[in-house]
Amino acid sequence: MRFKKEIVLIISITSFIILLEIITTKYTKEIVSSISQDANNVISELYEKNVGVSIENLKKNWYEKQNILSCYIEHNELEKVTSSLILL
C-alpha cells in the first residue's frame, strides 16, 4: 500500500513537469516568433528609411515579454538578446 502512494506521487510529479515543459516551450516559440517578426519588420523598413515606429514596437514587445521569459530562461541569455536589440 505504501508503494502505491509513492508511485502515484512520482507519476503526478512527472506529469506536472512534462506539462510545464510543454507549456513553456510553446510560449517561448510564440514569443520568439513574435520578436523575430518585429525584427524582420525593422530590417525591412531600414531599407525604406521608415524605421521609427517599427523599432518602438519591437522594443515595447521585447520588454513586455522579457519579464515573463526571465522566470524560466537564464538571465545572461536574455541580456544577450537585449544587447543585440539595442545595437540594432
Side-chain angles (χ1 to χ4, degrees):
M1 197 59 135
R2 180 171 179 242
F3 292 118
K4 224 176 191 181
K5 290 179 183 179
E6 290 174 348
I7 289 174
V8 169
L9 184 63
I10 290 172
I11 290 173
S12 299
I13 291 172
T14 305
S15 299
F16 178 73
I17 291 171
I18 290 171
L19 179 66
L20 192 61
E21 177 66 26
I22 291 169
I23 291 170
T24 57
T25 300
K26 181 181 175 190
Y27 189 71
T28 303
K29 284 181 181 181
E30 288 176 10
I31 290 173
V32 167
S33 174
S34 174
I35 297 298
S36 294
Q37 184 179 5
D38 288 347
N40 285 334
N41 288 342
V42 169
I43 290 169
S44 67
E45 287 187 12
L46 277 174
Y47 293 110
E48 298 172 8
K49 303 291 184 196
N50 184 16
V51 82
V53 174
S54 292
I55 288 176
E56 288 303 314
N57 288 340
L58 174 62
K59 188 170 34 171
K60 182 180 119 190
N61 195 6
W62 172 248
Y63 284 121
E64 287 174 359
K65 306 298 184 191
Q66 184 180 14
N67 292 331
I68 297 169
L69 288 173
S70 67
C71 294
Y72 60 92
I73 294 181
E74 293 181 28
H75 292 282
N76 63 346
E77 295 297 324
L78 294 174
E79 290 298 321
K80 289 178 186 176
V81 173
T82 303
S83 298
S84 296
L85 288 176
I86 289 172
L87 289 175
L88 177 67

